[in-house]
Amino acid sequence: MNLETIQMAKAADRPQKPEKSQAELRAALEQKLISLKSPMREGIKEYEQALKDGLFEDLDDEPAGAGEARKEVMQKKLTGLFDRAEKMKAKLVSQEPLSQSLPEISTTYTHPDNTQETITLDIEAKLEDFLAFYQKNNLDVLPDFADTVRDIWDRHQTDIEQAIEEKGFNEMLIIPGNIPLPELAEKMKLENGYYFYQVKDDFSDVVSQNTSQSRIILVHNSESLPEIAEKTGLDIHLNITGADAQKLYQQNPDQYLSTLEDAIILERKHYEETGLHLSDYTKKSAQWLPGSKAGARLVYSYWSPDYHKLYVRANDLEYQNDNLSVRPSRC
């Protein structure tokens, strides 16, 4: 019996967590509201200091409007904090029954060697982070994007917690729907851009599934694919053929990083935070993306440290390579 089967069996046997009382939910929400006071005070202080220092004026070596852009980013951050506080306060004052869902999930993952790790994900902190990331890269999202993401989080908290406990996901992507691939690829471009093989360089022949809706994707952060396999016992299916990658995806479409759109955002976000690349082929981390096709061919991608480009390739289903596998995730 493999590790994944054992973990699934354990999950099935695990008793359901008791629901919190309304008093407990209100106490938790009130504590969350109190915790916003410090970042709100710091945000106001930071804004006032920036105004005093002339940070919102264009510098000599900057394009026109750079200072105003900094001002808008800071204002949006502050507005977001105040909006969150007002919504929490309104829920407390309304006396309406509170949902069992909370902004933060903290749970324990047990590694194959029985060492344990506490993993915490906070949807509000991550949402703020991703909104700033998209704004910085001039990628527009719909006005209801944040509320849509919160709704996904609220409806799937049990599934998210279970996925963390079973597979050790310690990071999440928050991705907007209906962003045209050419626009997304241009704004998420890294270093020397892209190298194409059997894919048109305007991405016009790439068709991806399930990218019309906004989504939360759980992933492993700061790990090559072989390192993920070693630390979690998950099968990354190294040297897998395109046909087998497609079959895995068809059987469990929510359990593998599947589209070029998602891979590009993951690569750009990780690089901005660390200066490193998750899909480095020299670390056997090239990845099939079975939710994206160029004609009849399956798309795969990887980072080339030799040319400082993200390779976007498509190949027949019989193709395989000992650097190429699939990336575990949960959508």
Side-chain angles (χ1 to χ4, degrees):
M1 185 179 294
N2 62 30
L3 176 66
E4 187 169 355
T5 303
I6 293 171
Q7 289 174 327
M8 290 176 65
K10 286 181 179 178
D13 292 337
R14 185 167 51 237
Q16 293 292 319
K17 292 186 178 181
E19 290 192 352
K20 293 182 174 66
S21 68
Q22 284 297 307
E24 291 172 323
L25 291 171
R26 288 188 177 281
L29 183 58
E30 187 173 4
Q31 189 58 45
K32 192 72 176 178
L33 178 58
I34 292 171
S35 73
L36 288 179
K37 288 184 178 180
S38 178
M40 287 165 65
R41 284 196 296 266
E42 290 299 318
I44 293 171
K45 184 178 178 181
E46 182 184 9
Y47 184 85
E48 291 175 342
Q49 188 63 46
L51 193 62
K52 181 179 178 181
D53 295 343
L55 190 62
F56 303 143
E57 302 295 328
D58 296 342
L59 301 178
D60 293 339
D61 58 346
E62 289 183 323
E68 184 65 25
R70 283 192 291 272
K71 183 178 181 180
E72 289 177 1
V73 168
M74 201 170 288
Q75 286 178 336
K76 188 169 184 178
K77 181 179 178 181
L78 266 178
T79 302
L81 284 170
F82 279 101
D83 285 347
R84 283 165 58 193
E86 285 298 323
K87 288 178 181 178
M88 290 181 189
K89 183 177 179 181
K91 283 185 179 181
L92 287 169
V93 171
S94 72
Q95 298 301 315
E96 292 181 3
L98 297 177
S99 167
Q100 290 292 319
S101 63
L102 290 172
E104 183 181 282
I105 288 176
S106 186
T107 191
T108 300
Y109 171 67
T110 302
H111 291 270
D113 62 1
N114 288 323
T115 60
Q116 292 190 323
E117 174 186 0
T118 299
I119 297 173
T120 300
L121 295 178
D122 185 323
I123 188 61
E124 292 298 336
K126 285 295 176 186
L127 186 54
E128 182 179 317
D129 178 36
F130 270 87
L131 287 171
F133 168 68
Y134 291 131
Q135 184 178 43
K136 175 184 176 183
N137 290 291
N138 299 310
L139 192 73
D140 294 328
V141 300
L142 293 174
D144 64 350
F145 174 59
D147 287 338
T148 299
V149 170
R150 291 188 183 101
D151 179 61
I152 295 170
W153 176 267
D154 289 346
R155 288 187 288 110
H156 294 281
Q157 280 204 359
T158 300
D159 293 334
I160 292 169
E161 185 170 359
Q162 183 174 330
I164 295 170
E165 290 176 356
E166 290 178 1
K167 299 186 177 181
F169 297 120
N170 56 4
E171 185 57 279
M172 61 180 167
L173 304 176
I174 302 177
I175 300 182
N178 274 332
I179 303 293
L181 177 56
E183 176 189 352
L184 185 148
E186 177 61 29
K187 292 179 177 179
M188 297 285 118
K189 184 166 59 177
L190 286 168
E191 299 188 50
N192 293 335
Y194 302 94
Y195 172 84
F196 300 91
Y197 174 74
Q198 297 190 142
V199 174
K200 292 182 179 179
D201 61 10
D202 63 356
F203 299 93
S204 61
D205 58 341
V206 176
V207 177
S208 298
Q209 298 183 41
N210 304 319
T211 57
S212 62
Q213 301 297 319
S214 298
R215 51 208 180 273
I216 295 172
I217 302 178
L218 303 176
V219 293
H220 299 96
N221 193 22
S222 304
E223 308 284 358
S224 70
L225 288 173
E227 286 173 329
I228 290 173
E230 181 180 353
K231 290 186 177 182
T232 65
L234 296 175
D235 191 351
I236 60 169
H237 303 278
L238 195 62
N239 201 26
I240 192 174
T241 67
D244 285 336
Q246 181 174 259
K247 187 181 297 182
L248 287 172
Y249 173 66
Q250 290 170 343
Q251 291 170 346
N252 294 291
D254 62 346
Q255 294 188 19
Y256 303 97
L257 193 75
S258 60
T259 70
L260 183 58
E261 287 87 340
D262 298 343
I264 288 173
I265 289 175
L266 173 61
E267 195 73 36
R268 176 63 183 245
K269 188 70 164 63
H270 186 74
Y271 179 76
E272 286 197 7
E273 292 176 351
T274 68
L276 303 173
H277 296 279
L278 284 176
S279 65
D280 187 337
Y281 86 95
T282 66
K283 298 180 180 179
K284 296 187 180 295
S285 294
Q287 55 204 357
W288 281 112
L289 300 168
S292 293
K293 283 189 171 184
R297 298 185 178 98
L298 212 59
V299 172
Y300 61 100
S301 73
Y302 59 85
W303 180 258
S304 170
D306 307 314
Y307 297 98
H308 298 274
K309 291 184 177 184
L310 186 69
Y311 276 45
V312 178
R313 303 172 68 109
N315 230 317
D316 297 330
L317 296 180
E318 294 77 20
Y319 179 77
Q320 63 186 124
N321 188 288
D322 62 5
N323 296 319
L324 184 56
S325 53
V326 288
R327 181 174 293 277
S329 69
R330 178 63 190 274
C331 182

